[in-house]
Amino acid sequence: MSVIRFFRQNGWLLVGMALLVACTALAVWQLASQRGLDELRQAGQHRLELYAASLDRAIGQYAYLPATLELERDVLDLVTREQPLGAAVSRRLERLNLRAGTRSIYLLDRHGRVVATSNWNRPDSYMGEDLSYRPYFVAARQRKPGRFFGIGSTRGESGYYLSSPIMSGGELAGVAVVKVGLDRLEQSWATVEVPVMVADRNGVVILSSVPGWKFGTRLPLDAAQYNALRDSQQYGAETLRPLRMPVLRTLDGAAALLQVSMPQEGAGDIRSADGVFLAQDAAFGDTGWTLTVLSPATPVLFLARVQTALAALAVACLCILLVIWRMRRRQLQDRLEAREALQRAHDELERKVEERTRTLKEAQDELVHAGKLAMIGQLSTGLAHELNQPLTALRTLAGNTIKFMARGELDTAQDNLERIGMLVDGMGALTGQLKQFARKSSGTPGEASVGRAIEHALLLLDQRMRQAGAQVRVEIEDDALAVRCDPNRLEQVLINLVSNALDAAAFAPVPVVTLCARRRGGQGIIAVRDNGPGLPEPVRARLFEPFFTTKDAGAGLGLGLAISMGIIRDSGGTLEGASHPDGGAVFTIHLPVAGAETCIEA
């Protein structure tokens, strides 16, 4: 009863929905099929132009040949004075035929009899044949170039005949004929993606990419037409049969939809010659020929049907959803309110996550800065000694300068003052570098010169390296190498790695620290190596853990490598530690080269 009540209450609505689905299906079919056929017609028009151009090239390259024979003196003598030159002219035509690649070249006298031919020495020679009935001779007798497709009466080979009248004193003296084979063109067409054919002015297919269509007719011939064509011997012994291509629908612009049924015999390699095709015709020059391209329309129409079905199904589903929406509107409203509440909770969670992320970033920056200050504290003793020496020298030089000035030894006093200035400059460079290193950096990746970062790091560690008696080797392949990292933080990482290297090499006879920098593809690689005991596997597995250290108690908190790893990772790079094959430990930094779009490890 509920179903009956539903139909009674929504009967008109259901009828309207059914009409809507039907109208939508009809409109989509019209649009989809028309759009698909338009695209197919554009592609077919392009193919028509290509095929017409190839046919024109295949024929046009020989169009000049018959007319040039009129210029030959021996040819004129042969057809006008009937001098015994047939053998010599035939041999010349034979050579010309071989060079031109035509099937045959021959001359007719004014009565249509062959007086010279390129196949003079073959059993099927044309010599002496009466060809006055051929249309190309009839056209030449009317002082016009002849163009004719037919099957030869001697060998039964099809070909295209081009003829030109040979005039002497304003009168017809003879006719020059060239027979061109179009087999190569048909062979090239046999590999095309869509069928193509050429019909002559009689409607007979004379060229085709589908062998089974050749010498067929697009339209049935009545008895009179068939007998006339048979009596003309234009098509030899070929049987002219109508092709099974009924017209389904005529379109505008010389196009139509055909139902093509391909006979099994002579189907060739084209397996798509069955089904619905879009046929497009184009006239070929003044030959009376019609060039036809048949583009397969079955996939287009199938796609249009699929689109129509999908559109109808979509509209039907939409109507069903509309009915469901009317029945469950309240439920959907509740879901919408719940979704809005969930979105508000999600937004609040996102805000808290962003706030905590920002707090964590600030804490990380503070930790990096604290690590830097701790490093400065470790360097303070060496820096104080580095400054005490020039200060003591300044005091001594200043006192001596006063005495030299009192004695009038101004040159010596001037030398002392210059030495004082140099010491002050050195102290200023050291304190300036220390101040630059101590400032709090933003951590935003910028462009850092690798050579300058190494130079500044070694300057700050100079006193410690001298105290340790360490040898420092720097190998930089490219002085202009720059990587994407904050310059101040890159110096901090290098100071930390070099300090660790000095600690590791402290028990070596001669501590050696090697810094290498090179570029490989889009990566800048910096390696810091020592000649210490290396990294055992248990240590290497925990290198970058916070608060992990192999140093004695009070010598470090174990945060240096963890902070360094964070700095390099935030800059888009990597930091690795390993034992070197030749001994000692090596820490390798990989950072993107400044300005490189991609980073490729060589």
Side-chain angles (χ1 to χ4, degrees):
M1 293 297 294
S2 59
V3 175
I4 297 176
R5 186 182 302 110
F6 173 79
F7 277 100
R8 286 178 179 176
Q9 294 176 352
N10 300 277
W12 288 107
L13 178 61
L14 295 177
V15 172
M17 290 180 177
L19 290 176
L20 178 61
V21 171
C23 293
T24 300
L26 180 61
V28 171
W29 165 254
Q30 294 285 352
L31 292 175
S33 60
Q34 187 62 42
R35 183 176 62 235
L37 291 176
D38 288 343
E39 294 175 356
L40 202 62
R41 290 177 67 174
Q42 292 178 3
Q45 185 62 37
H46 179 64
R47 294 188 183 103
L48 271 175
E49 296 172 358
L50 292 178
Y51 296 146
S54 64
L55 181 58
D56 185 64
R57 285 194 303 269
I59 295 176
Q61 60 182 330
Y62 303 106
Y64 71 94
L65 193 54
T68 59
L69 295 177
E70 184 181 8
L71 305 178
E72 297 285 343
R73 183 73 260 173
D74 292 346
V75 171
L76 287 174
D77 291 341
L78 176 63
V79 297
T80 58
R81 304 174 187 175
E82 298 184 358
Q83 296 185 9
L85 300 172
V89 174
S90 293
R91 285 191 290 272
R92 182 177 300 177
L93 295 180
E94 180 182 18
R95 293 192 296 270
L96 180 59
N97 182 65
L98 289 175
R99 289 198 301 269
T102 54
R103 283 196 168 169
S104 60
I105 303 175
Y106 49 96
L107 299 175
L108 310 178
D109 61 13
R110 64 172 59 90
H111 304 295
R113 184 174 57 86
V114 179
V115 294
T117 177
S118 60
N119 59 0
W120 61 275
N121 60 345
R122 296 173 57 175
D124 54 358
S125 172
Y126 302 158
M127 187 67 72
E129 286 192 20
D130 183 7
L131 301 178
S132 59
Y133 66 93
R134 284 295 198 180
Y136 55 78
F137 178 78
V138 176
R141 193 163 54 189
Q142 298 173 358
R143 313 296 195 270
K144 296 186 299 183
R147 299 291 185 267
F148 173 73
F149 180 89
I151 296 179
S153 59
T154 303
R155 301 186 61 188
E157 288 182 340
S158 61
Y160 188 64
Y161 297 83
L162 301 97
S163 66
S164 177
I166 300 175
M167 308 300 296
S168 177
E171 297 294 332
L172 178 68
V175 179
V177 184
V178 174
K179 182 179 181 181
V180 178
L182 300 178
D183 296 342
R184 291 184 180 178
L185 179 63
E186 281 191 302
Q187 291 174 1
S188 67
W189 283 0
T191 61
V192 299
E193 56 186 358
V194 299
V196 57
M197 61 183 175
V198 178
D200 62 8
R201 63 178 71 251
N202 299 318
V204 178
V205 177
I206 57 177
L207 298 173
S208 176
S209 60
V210 182
W213 290 351
K214 198 168 182 180
F215 299 110
T217 60
R218 291 280 300 274
L219 298 175
L221 300 175
D222 56 29
Q225 291 173 323
Y226 183 83
N227 292 332
L229 293 177
R230 183 191 59 189
D231 295 341
S232 70
Q233 299 183 13
Q234 179 177 351
Y235 307 105
E238 294 290 341
T239 301
L240 304 181
R241 63 194 182 283
L243 299 177
R244 291 182 290 177
M245 297 182 179
V247 177
L248 300 178
R249 177 157 52 110
T250 301
L251 308 176
D252 57 335
L257 285 178
L258 307 181
Q259 179 66 49
V260 179
S261 298
M262 181 65 208
Q264 293 300 320
E265 63 276 5
D269 293 333
I270 296 185
R271 301 182 178 88
S272 61
D274 286 287
V276 180
F277 285 77
L278 175 66
Q280 294 174 265
D281 299 330
F284 181 71
D286 57 355
T287 60
W289 293 1
T290 301
L291 182 65
T292 304
V293 169
L294 291 95
S295 303
T298 301
V300 173
L301 298 179
F302 176 76
L303 180 61
R305 293 190 189 96
V306 172
Q307 293 174 342
T308 300
L310 291 177
L313 181 61
V315 173
C317 292
L318 183 62
C319 294
I320 295 174
L321 290 176
L322 179 62
V323 173
I324 296 176
W325 176 80
R326 292 185 61 189
M327 297 175 62
R328 302 178 61 186
R329 181 172 55 184
R330 183 64 261 170
Q331 183 180 0
L332 293 178
Q333 184 64 30
D334 294 341
R335 290 182 180 179
L336 180 61
E337 293 175 356
R339 184 180 301 172
E340 292 176 352
L342 180 61
Q343 183 64 41
R344 288 193 297 270
H346 178 269
D347 295 341
E348 179 66 18
L349 179 61
E350 287 287 340
R351 186 188 61 79
K352 291 182 179 180
V353 170
E354 291 178 0
E355 181 178 349
R356 292 186 179 181
T357 301
R358 183 171 58 255
T359 303
L360 178 60
K361 182 65 168 61
E362 293 175 354
Q364 288 176 341
D365 291 342
E366 291 296 334
L367 179 61
V368 171
H369 190 63
K372 186 185 301 183
L373 295 178
M375 193 176 299
I376 293 175
Q378 295 174 2
L379 298 173
S380 60
T381 302
L383 292 174
H385 180 74
E386 190 73 15
L387 293 176
N388 281 333
Q389 286 183 340
L391 285 173
T392 302
L394 284 174
R395 183 172 182 179
T396 302
L397 290 172
N400 291 338
T401 302
I402 295 174
K403 295 178 181 180
F404 289 138
M405 291 180 66
R407 297 174 186 173
E409 298 179 8
L410 299 181
D411 291 340
T412 306
Q414 183 177 356
D415 291 339
N416 282 0
L417 290 175
E418 291 176 354
R419 294 175 63 188
I420 290 173
M422 294 173 60
L423 291 173
V424 171
D425 289 341
M427 295 171 63
L430 182 61
T431 56
Q433 180 60 34
L434 183 61
K435 179 180 178 181
Q436 174 69 17
F437 178 71
R439 71 178 180 86
K440 188 175 182 180
S441 58
S442 64
T444 302
E447 182 173 335
S449 170
V450 174
R452 189 177 300 112
I454 293 176
E455 179 184 355
H456 292 174
L458 295 181
L459 177 63
L460 292 176
L461 292 170
D462 181 67
Q463 179 63 26
R464 182 179 173 188
M465 291 186 296
R466 284 185 292 179
Q467 289 179 351
Q471 296 181 5
V472 179
R473 301 169 183 173
V474 179
E475 302 173 2
I476 302 178
E477 291 185 357
D478 184 2
D479 293 337
L481 177 61
V483 295
R484 190 169 66 87
C485 184
D486 180 83
N488 192 264
R489 292 197 170 184
L490 179 59
E491 294 176 18
Q492 181 177 353
V493 172
L494 290 174
I495 291 175
N496 186 38
L497 295 181
V498 173
S499 296
N500 288 346
L502 291 173
D503 291 338
F507 298 101
V510 178
V512 178
V513 178
T514 304
L515 291 90
C516 300
R518 62 187 184 279
R519 173 174 179 161
R520 292 296 181 267
Q523 291 274 317
I525 302 175
I526 308 171
V528 180
R529 178 191 169 193
D530 60 62
N531 61 341
L535 298 174
E537 182 60 32
V539 174
R540 187 164 61 247
R542 303 181 60 190
L543 269 179
F544 301 103
E545 290 184 10
F547 305 107
F548 174 75
T549 179
T550 58
K551 299 178 182 180
D552 297 335
L557 296 177
L559 292 175
L561 287 178
I563 293 174
S564 299
M565 170 63 83
I567 292 173
I568 299 301
R569 184 177 57 245
D570 292 343
S571 300
T574 59
L575 174 60
E576 302 171 350
S579 293
H580 196 275
D582 297 333
V586 57
F587 285 83
T588 307
I589 301 171
H590 295 257
L591 283 170
V593 173
E597 296 182 357
T598 58
C599 300
I600 304 174
E601 177 63 28

